[in-house]
Amino acid sequence: MNKLISILALLCCCINSYAQNSIQEFLALQSIPKTYAVHKITEPMQIDGKDLENSWSKAKTIINFEDIQGGEFKKPAYKTEVKMLWDSTNLYIYAKLYEPHIWADIYKHDEIVYLNNDFEIFLKPNLHQAEYYEIEVNPLHTIFDLMLTKPYRFGGQAITHWDVKNLKSAVHIKGTLNNPKDTDSFWSVEFAIPHQSLYAFGKAPFPKNDDYWLCNFSRVQWQHELSDNHYSRKKENNKILAEDNWVWSPIGLINMHYPERWGYLQFVQQATEQDPALPDSYNVTKLAWNVHYLQQLFKKENRHYSEQLTKLSLYKEYILPSTKDFQINMDLNKDKQSYTIKIIDKLSKKIRVSLDNRGHFDLHP
C-alpha cells in the first residue's frame, strides 16, 4: 500500500490543478499542434532497436524536439529523432536519443521510469473519448506503461497495472551503459504497438486510411553526478535538480497531461514530405478548450463561472472571431459553480463538441 501511495504521489507531483493560473498561461496554450503522416507498410519488421529495414528509410524523421513550454525556451542540449510506420496490426515507433552519458538504474517493470533519463510515448487513438495511454522506457529497456481514464487535473487516476498486450520493443546502445569512463553516442528504441491493445471502451481503434490519433513524445533528461563511478541525479543544496522535458509538440507548460495540446498522427497509404493538415474537428475542439481555460480564469478571480461569454478575458481575441463559424451554447447551473458548453459547426451541422467544467469532453461525429 505504501508503495502504491508513493507511485501515485510521484505521478501527480508536477500536475497543476485544472484551473488556469494566468492570462500568460492561457496564451502559452495557443501554439498550433504539430502533425505527422504515418506511412503504411507491408514489409515484416524485426524489432531490434535499430532502423535497418528499408521501410524505415522511407519514413519521415522528426528532428525538431523543443522544450515542453515552447520554442522560446532553451533549446534541448541533445538531439532526438523519431519516426513512425503502421500496418494492419501495429503502430511502429523508432526513437534515437543522442547522449554522451548513457545510464539507468531502474530495472523493474512499471517502476517510475522517468526518474531515469527516458523516452515517453503518449497516444490517444479515440478523439471522441477521454482515455489515453502512456509508455515509458529507459536505456535498460525497463517499461512503464499505463492508461488514464482522463487527465490528472480532472481527477483522473493512473491505471498502472494496465499493460500493452503483446507489445514488442527493443533497445540498442551505441556506447556502454553505466560506464562513466567513456563518451557514448546514442541509445535507440523500437516499438511495435498492437492497435488491438489500445482500447478500453467500445471497439478496438484499428486505424483506417486518413484517420487521426492524438499523440506526443517526451524525453526526460536529468543532470547527473558521479559517486564511486556510479551515476545518479545531480543535487544542489541536497536537492535534486529539476529535469528537462523535451517534446515533439510543445504543450505550453510543464505538464504532458494536456492531451488536447498534443500533436496529430494521420495514417496514410503513402507519406509525403509535406505534413498533413489538422483534422476537421480541430477548430471546434480548440474553441471549446479556450472557453474552458478562460472560464477557469474567470472563476479564479470571481469565485464563480461567467454566465456570459462576453465577460471572459480575451473574448474578443479568442472567442468572438469563431462565432462566425460556430454556434456556442452554455448551460450554467444556478449557483454558477458548474457549466456545460456545446458548440456546433454552423456550416456542416455535423461536427459538435460538448465540454464541462470538469473536463468531460465529447466530440461528434
Side-chain angles (χ1 to χ4, degrees), residues 127-147:
L127 302 186
H128 306 267
Q129 293 178 342
E131 76 277 359
Y132 60 93
Y133 308 92
E134 180 179 352
I135 306 170
E136 303 178 5
V137 62
N138 69 3
L140 279 166
H141 193 208
T142 305
I143 298 289
F144 178 27
D145 48 359
L146 60 153
M147 179 178 73

Side-chain angles (χ1 to χ4, degrees), residues 25 41 49 66 101 108 116 119 122 128 135 140 145 193 201 222 236 253 255 260 305 321-322:
E25 186 175 287
I41 60 171
E66 301 178 30
H101 295 281
K108 189 175 180 181
N116 283 169
F119 177 72
F122 294 83
H128 306 267
I135 306 170
L140 279 166
D145 48 359
I193 304 172
F201 312 103
W222 299 90
E236 286 187 0
L253 46 75
N255 187 340
E260 72 270 18
Y305 293 115
S322 298

Side-chain angles (χ1 to χ4, degrees), residues 136-237:
E136 303 178 5
V137 62
N138 69 3
L140 279 166
H141 193 208
T142 305
I143 298 289
F144 178 27
D145 48 359
L146 60 153
M147 179 178 73
L148 288 101
T149 55
K150 55 183 175 180
Y152 295 112
R153 69 190 199 270
F154 298 124
Q157 298 294 317
I159 304 176
T160 57
H161 62 267
W162 175 88
D163 293 323
V164 183
K165 292 181 179 179
N166 301 314
L167 174 71
K168 295 180 181 178
S169 61
V171 168
H172 169 69
I173 294 175
K174 182 68 172 179
T176 54
L177 180 64
N178 290 328
N179 181 4
K181 297 181 180 180
D182 64 359
T183 300
D184 305 311
S185 180
F186 66 84
W187 63 285
S188 57
V189 58
E190 187 179 20
F191 287 93
I193 304 172
H195 305 307
Q196 190 172 13
S197 298
L198 296 181
Y199 74 104
F201 312 103
K203 296 181 179 179
F206 291 101
K208 302 185 296 295
N209 193 45
D210 295 331
D211 278 357
Y212 285 90
W213 287 11
L214 279 161
C215 171
N216 215 338
F217 303 103
S218 173
R219 176 177 177 176
V220 172
Q221 190 75 19
W222 299 90
Q223 296 185 53
H224 70 269
E225 58 189 11
L226 293 172
S227 177
D228 295 327
N229 283 326
H230 286 83
Y231 289 98
S232 62
R233 291 180 293 163
K234 188 174 182 179
K235 294 181 179 179
E236 286 187 0
N237 299 320

Side-chain angles (χ1 to χ4, degrees), residues 45-50 53 56 92 168-170 190-192:
M45 303 292 283
Q46 180 179 352
I47 305 304
D48 56 8
K50 306 174 184 179
E53 289 85 359
W56 280 126
Y92 301 96
K168 295 180 181 178
S169 61
E190 187 179 20
F191 287 93

Side-chain angles (χ1 to χ4, degrees), residues 350-365:
K350 293 181 179 179
I351 300 176
R352 305 186 305 278
V353 163
S354 66
L355 177 64
D356 69 13
N357 58 289
R358 292 296 300 168
H360 297 116
F361 176 84
D362 196 13
L363 169 67
H364 294 281

Side-chain angles (χ1 to χ4, degrees), residues 233-351:
R233 291 180 293 163
K234 188 174 182 179
K235 294 181 179 179
E236 286 187 0
N237 299 320
N238 208 34
K239 182 179 180 181
I240 295 173
L241 295 178
E243 78 282 8
D244 286 311
N245 296 272
W246 304 328
V247 305
W248 169 47
S249 194
I251 304 298
L253 46 75
I254 305 175
N255 187 340
M256 281 301 294
H257 295 274
Y258 272 65
E260 72 270 18
R261 295 285 303 130
W262 297 348
Y264 286 90
L265 309 183
Q266 186 181 35
F267 294 86
V268 300
Q269 292 291 326
Q270 184 69 47
T272 64
E273 283 300 312
Q274 185 175 1
D275 292 326
L278 291 161
D280 292 340
S281 61
Y282 171 72
N283 286 329
V284 65
T285 299
K286 180 66 176 290
L287 174 59
W289 282 107
N290 275 345
V291 172
H292 174 84
Y293 299 151
L294 293 175
Q295 279 282 29
Q296 306 309 317
L297 282 175
F298 187 93
K299 186 180 181 184
K300 182 182 178 184
E301 295 177 2
N302 300 279
R303 298 187 180 181
H304 63 82
Y305 293 115
S306 174
E307 72 278 7
Q308 297 179 22
L309 295 179
T310 55
K311 293 183 179 181
L312 298 177
S313 299
L314 300 180
Y315 167 82
K316 291 182 179 179
E317 294 87 348
Y318 287 93
I319 299 177
L320 180 60
S322 298
T323 59
K324 175 173 62 72
D325 299 314
F326 301 105
Q327 176 183 331
I328 308 174
N329 299 314
M330 183 172 64
D331 295 325
L332 190 71
N333 74 337
K334 290 183 179 181
D335 63 4
K336 300 182 182 180
Q337 295 302 305
S338 64
Y339 69 85
T340 300
I341 53 173
K342 297 180 180 180
I343 304 178
I344 302 174
D345 186 316
K346 289 181 179 179
L347 181 62
S348 71
K349 303 293 185 182
K350 293 181 179 179
I351 300 176

